[in-house]
Amino acid sequence: MVFLEEWGIEQKIFSLTLDDASSNDKMQDYLKERLLHTNGLVSGGEFFHIRCCAHILNLIVQEGLKVVSPAVNKIRESIKYVKGSEGRMKVFKACVAKVGGIHTKMGLRLDVITRWNSTFLMLESALVYRRAFCSLAFDDRSYSSCPTNEEWERGQKMCDFLRPFFQITELISGSSYPTSNLYFMQVWKIECLLLQNLSNKDELIRTMAIDMKTKFDKYWSDYSNVLSFGCILDPRFKIKLLKYCYSKLGLDPISCQAKLKVVEHKLYTLYNEYVQMYSKETRSNVGLSQGSSQETMATTSTISIAQVDVMDVSQGFS
């Protein structure tokens, strides 16, 4: 709070985006209470706390990856083994040349376990070199973590299933363009993907989708209202897009209309609050400008009178 006061922005904060750590929840509760005491938040702080979309998506996909963790772990250990020494890298490159047909500049990528998008990139890179890893298992008896054909197939299915989620993560994590107007559409796409795969014929993908949908409902059963405003204010989308998207989720017309009414009501409430806020400032500024005008007129009148007096005096001397 001290920093906000030093920076002069304690009256200019609308929302705070944080990940899902419990310590962050306590911190935002404390900060929100302090800001409310100074009337520094609109709508009583209703829109203050926003959970990081990329972080929630990470939690959702990590839940799905638990289903296939043995296969993922084997691929991860395989990459660790190859990248563990220059000698192994040379042997692996020889295997790549021997199997042939691998024409890519993509190297092996090791993931950061807590970041699922890096796990996707790891899987994608390993699958390119699948035949080289199988060849390495025959040439290097010390290499014992080579996935089986079934596990490689499982990895391929995972990669295909998770690719749209990876693309959405990349999009909403962008820093060179606005992202708040993208939120609603991307979360809707995620829910649609999960719903489509809840009855997937492949047991692996179906189980992943079920677990991911459970985690999705924990955080996004109701989409963030304030971030939905960004979609409505985007002239390409507006409120009609929300109506269309809700209808495609299998909601009955009554539920769909109820969701739309909630978003519309909160948007108009927020708008009216800003109207009142800025109308007060306008009246205050008008009052100041009128006072300045009166002072200017009084000064001008004084100058004019002084000029008349000087002219009378000069005429008297002539």
Side-chain angles (χ1 to χ4, degrees):
M1 187 67 184
V2 175
F3 286 115
L4 300 180
E5 292 172 352
E6 288 180 359
W7 297 333
I9 61 172
E10 71 277 7
Q11 297 292 325
K12 302 176 183 178
I13 298 174
F14 181 82
S15 64
L16 184 67
T17 303
L18 300 166
D19 62 24
D20 194 45
S22 58
S23 57
N24 284 340
D25 290 340
K26 291 180 181 179
M27 182 272 288
Q28 75 86 23
D29 286 338
Y30 172 77
L31 185 58
K32 179 179 176 181
E33 185 177 352
R34 290 290 303 273
L35 289 170
L36 286 173
H37 282 312
T38 59
N39 296 318
L41 294 176
V42 296
S43 300
E46 180 181 354
F47 308 116
F48 179 62
H49 186 198
I50 297 179
R51 298 190 185 278
C52 175
C53 299
H55 177 73
I56 293 177
L57 183 52
N58 181 57
L59 294 177
I60 291 170
V61 180
Q62 290 284 9
E63 193 69 22
L65 288 175
K66 290 178 182 178
V67 176
V68 288
S69 57
V72 174
N73 286 335
K74 274 194 172 183
I75 292 173
R76 182 181 295 118
E77 291 303 316
S78 295
I79 296 176
K80 280 183 181 179
Y81 180 81
V82 170
K83 294 173 73 74
S85 70
E86 290 185 13
R88 293 173 189 168
M89 281 297 296
K90 287 181 180 179
V91 174
F92 184 74
K93 287 178 180 178
C95 291
V96 171
K98 183 168 65 175
V99 298
I102 302 176
H103 305 293
T104 179
K105 294 183 179 179
M106 181 188 295
L108 293 174
R109 299 171 176 175
L110 194 59
D111 69 332
V112 178
I113 297 177
T114 55
R115 294 178 58 192
W116 88 266
N117 51 326
S118 69
T119 302
F120 171 83
L121 292 173
M122 179 189 73
L123 290 173
E124 188 179 48
S125 70
L127 286 165
V128 173
Y129 296 97
R130 171 180 173 175
R131 290 185 298 124
F133 277 112
C134 293
S135 177
L136 180 66
F138 289 105
D139 295 348
D140 185 350
R141 295 300 177 184
S142 299
Y143 172 45
S144 58
S145 54
C146 184
T148 63
N149 285 331
E150 183 182 351
E151 288 168 333
W152 280 118
E153 290 299 323
R154 194 172 294 170
Q156 184 64 62
K157 289 176 182 177
M158 275 191 298
C159 221
D160 295 338
F161 173 62
L162 295 176
R163 184 167 284 105
F165 295 91
F166 174 78
Q167 293 168 346
I168 291 171
T169 298
E170 292 289 290
L171 182 64
I172 63 177
S173 301
S175 58
S176 59
Y177 50 85
T179 55
S180 59
N181 59 318
L182 305 176
Y183 162 84
F184 182 91
M185 195 68 178
Q186 301 311 312
V187 173
W188 174 75
K189 285 181 181 178
I190 292 167
E191 185 166 13
C192 287
L193 285 167
L194 294 175
L195 288 172
Q196 289 169 10
N197 286 282
L198 289 178
S199 55
N200 195 297
K201 293 180 180 179
D202 187 281
E203 184 180 357
L204 170 70
I205 301 302
R206 184 173 64 251
T207 306
M208 287 182 68
I210 291 171
D211 290 352
M212 290 168 68
K213 184 64 169 64
T214 301
K215 184 67 77 170
F216 178 96
D217 290 339
K218 177 180 178 181
Y219 294 102
W220 283 339
S221 56
D222 291 315
Y223 296 1
S224 168
N225 287 315
V226 69
L227 289 177
S228 298
F229 298 162
C231 180
I232 296 172
L233 297 175
D234 190 322
R236 299 169 299 172
F237 304 141
K238 301 185 180 179
I239 192 70
K240 290 182 180 179
L241 179 69
L242 271 68
K243 185 176 182 179
Y244 170 81
C245 290
Y246 283 140
S247 67
K248 292 298 179 180
L249 292 176
L251 295 173
D252 60 87
I254 296 176
S255 299
C256 180
Q257 193 61 33
K259 283 180 175 289
L260 283 173
K261 281 186 176 180
V262 170
V263 177
E264 282 184 320
H265 172 71
K266 290 185 181 295
L267 177 59
Y268 283 118
T269 301
L270 182 62
Y271 171 79
N272 290 328
E273 187 169 345
Y274 272 104
V275 168
Q276 293 176 0
M277 187 187 308
Y278 282 97
S279 61
K280 290 178 182 177
E281 290 186 10
T282 303
R283 286 196 296 270
S284 176
N285 291 334
V286 168
L288 289 173
S289 62
Q290 288 177 346
S292 300
S293 298
Q294 291 174 356
E295 290 178 8
T296 303
M297 290 175 63
T299 304
T300 304
S301 300
T302 304
I303 293 172
S304 300
I305 293 170
Q307 288 175 340
V308 171
D309 291 341
V310 171
M311 289 175 65
D312 291 340
V313 171
S314 62
Q315 288 176 357
F317 277 107
S318 62

Coordinates of all heavy atoms in Angstrom, one line a residue, residues 246-274:
Y246 N -22.9 -19.0 -25.6 CA -23.6 -19.7 -24.6 C -24.6 -20.7 -25.2 O -24.8 -21.8 -24.6 CB -24.5 -18.7 -23.7 CG -23.6 -17.9 -22.7 CD1 -23.9 -16.6 -22.5 CD2 -22.7 -18.5 -22.0 CE1 -23.1 -15.8 -21.5 CE2 -21.9 -17.8 -21.0 CZ -22.1 -16.5 -20.8 OH -21.4 -15.8 -19.9
S247 N -25.2 -20.4 -26.3 CA -26.1 -21.3 -27.0 C -25.4 -22.6 -27.5 O -26.0 -23.7 -27.5 CB -26.8 -20.6 -28.1 OG -25.9 -20.3 -29.2
K248 N -24.1 -22.4 -27.8 CA -23.3 -23.6 -28.3 C -22.8 -24.5 -27.2 O -22.3 -25.5 -27.5 CB -22.2 -23.1 -29.2 CG -22.6 -22.4 -30.5 CD -23.3 -23.4 -31.4 CE -23.8 -22.8 -32.7 NZ -24.5 -23.7 -33.5
L249 N -23.0 -24.1 -26.0 CA -22.5 -24.9 -24.8 C -23.6 -25.9 -24.4 O -23.4 -26.6 -23.4 CB -22.1 -24.0 -23.7 CG -20.8 -23.1 -23.9 CD1 -20.6 -22.2 -22.7 CD2 -19.6 -24.0 -24.1
G250 N -24.7 -25.9 -25.1 CA -25.8 -26.8 -24.7 C -26.7 -26.3 -23.6 O -27.4 -27.0 -23.0
L251 N -26.6 -25.0 -23.3 CA -27.4 -24.4 -22.3 C -28.8 -24.2 -22.8 O -29.0 -23.9 -24.0 CB -26.9 -23.0 -21.8 CG -25.5 -23.0 -21.1 CD1 -25.0 -21.6 -20.9 CD2 -25.6 -23.8 -19.8
D252 N -29.8 -24.4 -21.9 CA -31.2 -24.1 -22.3 C -31.4 -22.6 -22.5 O -30.6 -21.8 -21.9 CB -32.2 -24.7 -21.3 CG -32.0 -24.2 -19.9 OD1 -32.6 -23.1 -19.6 OD2 -31.2 -24.7 -19.2
P253 N -32.4 -22.2 -23.2 CA -32.6 -20.7 -23.5 C -32.7 -19.9 -22.2 O -32.2 -18.8 -22.1 CB -33.9 -20.7 -24.3 CG -33.9 -22.0 -25.0 CD -33.3 -23.0 -24.0
I254 N -33.3 -20.5 -21.2 CA -33.5 -19.8 -19.9 C -32.2 -19.5 -19.2 O -31.9 -18.4 -18.8 CB -34.5 -20.5 -19.0 CG1 -35.9 -20.6 -19.6 CG2 -34.6 -19.8 -17.6 CD1 -36.9 -21.5 -18.8
S255 N -31.4 -20.6 -19.1 CA -30.0 -20.4 -18.5 C -29.2 -19.5 -19.3 O -28.4 -18.7 -18.7 CB -29.4 -21.8 -18.4 OG -30.1 -22.7 -17.6
C256 N -29.2 -19.6 -20.6 CA -28.4 -18.7 -21.5 C -28.8 -17.2 -21.3 O -28.0 -16.4 -21.1 CB -28.7 -19.1 -22.9 SG -27.8 -18.1 -24.1
Q257 N -30.1 -17.0 -21.2 CA -30.6 -15.6 -21.0 C -30.2 -15.1 -19.6 O -29.9 -13.9 -19.4 CB -32.1 -15.5 -21.2 CG -32.7 -14.2 -21.3 CD -32.2 -13.4 -22.5 OE1 -31.9 -14.0 -23.5 NE2 -32.0 -12.1 -22.4
A258 N -30.3 -16.0 -18.6 CA -29.9 -15.6 -17.2 C -28.5 -15.2 -17.2 O -28.1 -14.2 -16.5 CB -30.2 -16.8 -16.3
K259 N -27.6 -15.9 -17.8 CA -26.1 -15.6 -17.8 C -25.9 -14.2 -18.5 O -25.1 -13.4 -18.0 CB -25.3 -16.6 -18.5 CG -25.1 -17.9 -17.7 CD -24.3 -18.9 -18.5 CE -23.9 -20.1 -17.6 NZ -22.9 -19.8 -16.6
L260 N -26.6 -14.0 -19.6 CA -26.5 -12.7 -20.4 C -26.9 -11.6 -19.5 O -26.3 -10.5 -19.5 CB -27.3 -12.8 -21.7 CG -26.6 -13.6 -22.8 CD1 -27.6 -13.7 -24.0 CD2 -25.3 -12.9 -23.3
K261 N -28.1 -11.8 -18.8 CA -28.6 -10.7 -18.0 C -27.6 -10.3 -16.8 O -27.5 -9.1 -16.5 CB -29.9 -11.1 -17.4 CG -31.1 -11.0 -18.4 CD -32.4 -11.3 -17.7 CE -33.6 -11.1 -18.7 NZ -34.9 -11.4 -18.0
V262 N -27.0 -11.3 -16.3 CA -26.0 -11.0 -15.2 C -24.9 -10.1 -15.7 O -24.5 -9.1 -15.1 CB -25.4 -12.3 -14.6 CG1 -24.3 -12.0 -13.7 CG2 -26.5 -13.1 -13.8
V263 N -24.3 -10.5 -16.9 CA -23.2 -9.8 -17.5 C -23.6 -8.4 -17.9 O -23.0 -7.4 -17.6 CB -22.6 -10.5 -18.7 CG1 -21.5 -9.7 -19.4 CG2 -22.1 -11.8 -18.3
E264 N -24.8 -8.3 -18.5 CA -25.3 -6.9 -18.9 C -25.6 -6.0 -17.7 O -25.2 -4.8 -17.7 CB -26.6 -7.1 -19.7 CG -26.4 -7.6 -21.1 CD -27.7 -7.6 -21.9 OE1 -28.7 -8.1 -21.3 OE2 -27.7 -7.2 -23.1
H265 N -26.2 -6.6 -16.7 CA -26.5 -5.8 -15.5 C -25.2 -5.2 -14.8 O -25.1 -4.1 -14.5 CB -27.2 -6.7 -14.5 CG -27.4 -6.0 -13.1 ND1 -28.3 -4.9 -12.9 CD2 -26.8 -6.2 -11.9 CE1 -28.2 -4.5 -11.7 NE2 -27.4 -5.3 -11.0
K266 N -24.2 -6.1 -14.7 CA -22.9 -5.7 -14.1 C -22.2 -4.6 -15.0 O -21.6 -3.7 -14.5 CB -22.0 -6.9 -13.8 CG -22.6 -7.8 -12.7 CD -21.6 -8.9 -12.4 CE -22.2 -9.8 -11.3 NZ -22.3 -9.1 -10.0
L267 N -22.3 -4.8 -16.3 CA -21.7 -3.8 -17.2 C -22.3 -2.5 -17.1 O -21.6 -1.4 -17.0 CB -21.7 -4.3 -18.6 CG -21.2 -3.4 -19.7 CD1 -19.7 -3.1 -19.5 CD2 -21.4 -4.0 -21.1
Y268 N -23.7 -2.4 -17.1 CA -24.4 -1.2 -17.0 C -24.1 -0.5 -15.6 O -24.0 0.7 -15.5 CB -25.8 -1.3 -17.3 CG -26.2 -1.5 -18.7 CD1 -26.7 -2.7 -19.2 CD2 -25.9 -0.5 -19.6 CE1 -27.0 -2.8 -20.6 CE2 -26.2 -0.6 -21.0 CZ -26.7 -1.8 -21.5 OH -27.0 -2.0 -22.8
T269 N -24.1 -1.3 -14.6 CA -23.8 -0.8 -13.2 C -22.5 -0.1 -13.2 O -22.3 1.0 -12.6 CB -23.9 -2.0 -12.2 OG1 -25.2 -2.6 -12.2 CG2 -23.6 -1.4 -10.8
L270 N -21.5 -0.8 -13.8 CA -20.1 -0.2 -13.8 C -20.1 1.0 -14.6 O -19.5 2.0 -14.2 CB -19.1 -1.3 -14.4 CG -17.7 -0.9 -14.4 CD1 -17.1 -0.6 -13.0 CD2 -16.8 -1.9 -15.1
Y271 N -20.8 1.0 -15.8 CA -20.8 2.2 -16.6 C -21.4 3.4 -15.9 O -20.9 4.5 -15.9 CB -21.6 1.9 -17.9 CG -21.9 3.1 -18.7 CD1 -20.9 3.6 -19.6 CD2 -23.2 3.7 -18.7 CE1 -21.2 4.8 -20.3 CE2 -23.4 4.8 -19.5 CZ -22.4 5.4 -20.3 OH -22.7 6.5 -21.0
N272 N -22.6 3.1 -15.2 CA -23.2 4.2 -14.5 C -22.4 4.8 -13.4 O -22.4 6.0 -13.1 CB -24.6 3.8 -13.9 CG -25.6 3.5 -15.0 OD1 -25.6 4.2 -16.1 ND2 -26.5 2.5 -14.8
E273 N -21.6 3.9 -12.8 CA -20.7 4.4 -11.7 C -19.6 5.3 -12.3 O -19.3 6.3 -11.7 CB -20.0 3.2 -11.0 CG -19.2 3.6 -9.8 CD -18.8 2.3 -9.0 OE1 -19.3 1.2 -9.2 OE2 -17.9 2.5 -8.1
Y274 N -19.1 5.0 -13.4 CA -18.1 5.9 -14.1 C -18.8 7.2 -14.5 O -18.1 8.2 -14.5 CB -17.5 5.2 -15.3 CG -16.3 4.4 -14.9 CD1 -16.3 3.0 -14.8 CD2 -15.0 5.0 -14.6 CE1 -15.2 2.2 -14.4 CE2 -13.9 4.3 -14.2 CZ -14.0 2.9 -14.2 OH -12.9 2.1 -13.8

